[in-house]
């Protein structure tokens, strides 16, 4: 039972998956917040209403959301080589992971911001709040549960992305399941890698749910 599983390799692959997911979600969170704010605030009737900025940002987000991740990695190989100096290993997967997931998270941020009660915004304006105060003391705090819930969904998406990235040499559990499991016909390796990925996903979801419940005051 599990005689084909090299636990040293499995541990290393798990670490690589956690590393790629952790670093990528950190950059995705900040980039996604920025893109989401621009998408929302530059739309019609909002604080920074600007049709051109909104069209450009929407185009950027839609393009990178629509491209399948495995194709996105291939398209970004020249960019990855310039930025990371390599196209192999966990670090090489980071640009595609961040760009692909940030576009996804930006839309979730925009949706969360649109759910903020307009009455709260108008109350802040009537008390003399400026744009910066409205953004950082109204929009973001009021939409925080949705932002945390969105980043949880995005983090889970990133774990699946790392598995796909592994197929083209990024390392991690996806790489191990494909190389040592599928190609060598060792189903036990594939099963163990799948179980570990599932556990990571359950942990992320559980942490996200706990944080969301604690900050949601509704």
């Amino acid at each position: 039972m599990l005689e084909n599983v090299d636990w040293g390799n499995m541990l290393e692959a798990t670490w690589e998956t956690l590393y790629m997911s952790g670093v990528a979600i950190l950059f995705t969170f900040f980039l996604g917040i920025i893109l989401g704010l621009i998408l929302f605030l530059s739309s019609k009737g909002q604080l920074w209403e600007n049709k051109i900025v909104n069209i450009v940002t929407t185009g950027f987000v839609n393009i990178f959301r629509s491209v399948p991740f495995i194709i996105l990695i291939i398209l970004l190989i020249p960019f990855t080589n310039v930025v990371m100096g390599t196209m192999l290993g966990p670090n090489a997967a980071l640009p595609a992971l961040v760009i692909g997931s940030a576009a996804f998270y930006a839309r979730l941020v925009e949706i969360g911001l649109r759910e903020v009660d307009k009455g709260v915004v108008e109350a802040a304006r009537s008390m003399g709040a400026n744009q910066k105060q409205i953004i950082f003391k109204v929009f973001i705090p009021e939409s925080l549960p949705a932002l945390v819930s969105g980043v949880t969904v995005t983090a889970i998406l990133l774990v699946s992305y790392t598995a796909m990235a592994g197929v083209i040499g990024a390392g991690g559990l996806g790489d191990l399941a494909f190389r040592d499991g599928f190609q060598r016909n060792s189903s036990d390796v594939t099963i163990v890698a799948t179980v570990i990925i599932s556990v990571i996903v359950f942990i992320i979801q559980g942490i996200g749910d706990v944080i969301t419940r604690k900050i949601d005051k509704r």
Side-chain angles (χ1 to χ4, degrees):
M1 187 67 173
L2 306 180
E3 64 270 12
N4 296 312
V5 178
D6 184 322
W7 294 103
N9 288 342
M10 191 66 70
L11 183 62
E12 182 181 0
T14 302
W15 164 248
E16 288 173 344
T17 294
L18 292 173
Y19 169 75
M20 287 188 284
S21 301
V23 174
I25 197 60
L26 183 64
F27 284 97
T28 293
F29 178 74
F30 290 106
L31 183 57
I33 289 285
I34 292 170
L35 287 172
L37 280 169
I38 294 172
L39 277 172
F40 173 69
L41 295 173
S42 64
S43 61
K44 188 175 180 180
Q46 299 302 329
L47 298 177
W48 299 345
E49 182 177 345
N50 189 308
K51 189 174 182 180
I52 294 176
V53 170
N54 189 259
I55 290 173
V56 171
T57 309
T58 298
F60 174 85
V61 169
N62 287 345
I63 288 171
F64 286 105
R65 280 181 67 219
S66 63
V67 178
F69 182 70
I70 196 72
I71 297 176
L72 181 63
I73 294 177
I74 296 170
L75 290 174
L76 290 176
I77 284 176
F79 175 75
T80 300
N81 269 323
V82 171
V83 175
M84 308 304 294
T86 181
M87 57 175 285
L88 297 175
N91 286 330
L94 292 177
L97 288 171
V98 172
I99 292 173
S101 57
F104 175 81
Y105 183 52
R107 280 298 184 192
L108 299 182
V109 171
E110 182 191 18
I111 292 170
L113 291 170
R114 290 194 183 281
E115 291 177 352
V116 174
D117 189 348
K118 292 182 179 179
V120 178
V121 179
E122 291 303 319
R125 280 177 170 167
S126 67
M127 290 188 291
N130 56 35
Q131 289 190 1
K132 183 178 179 181
Q133 290 172 325
I134 291 173
I135 293 170
F136 291 102
K137 293 187 177 182
V138 179
F139 278 123
I140 291 181
E142 289 293 320
S143 63
L144 197 57
L147 299 185
V148 172
S149 179
V151 85
T152 302
V153 173
T154 307
I156 292 171
L157 179 70
L158 271 169
V159 174
S160 68
Y161 279 177
T162 64
M164 285 187 277
V167 176
I168 62 168
L173 291 166
D175 178 46
L176 189 68
F178 179 74
R179 177 170 41 82
D180 289 4
F182 175 74
Q183 290 188 331
R184 297 181 181 179
N185 199 29
S186 301
S187 59
D188 49 351
V189 175
T190 304
I191 291 171
V192 171
T194 303
V195 169
I196 294 174
I197 290 173
S198 298
V199 170
I200 292 172
V201 168
F202 290 146
I203 291 173
I204 292 172
Q205 186 66 64
I207 293 172
D209 289 344
V210 169
I211 295 174
T212 300
R213 283 196 296 268
K214 284 191 175 183
I215 63 177
D216 193 348
K217 299 176 181 178
R218 291 174 295 179

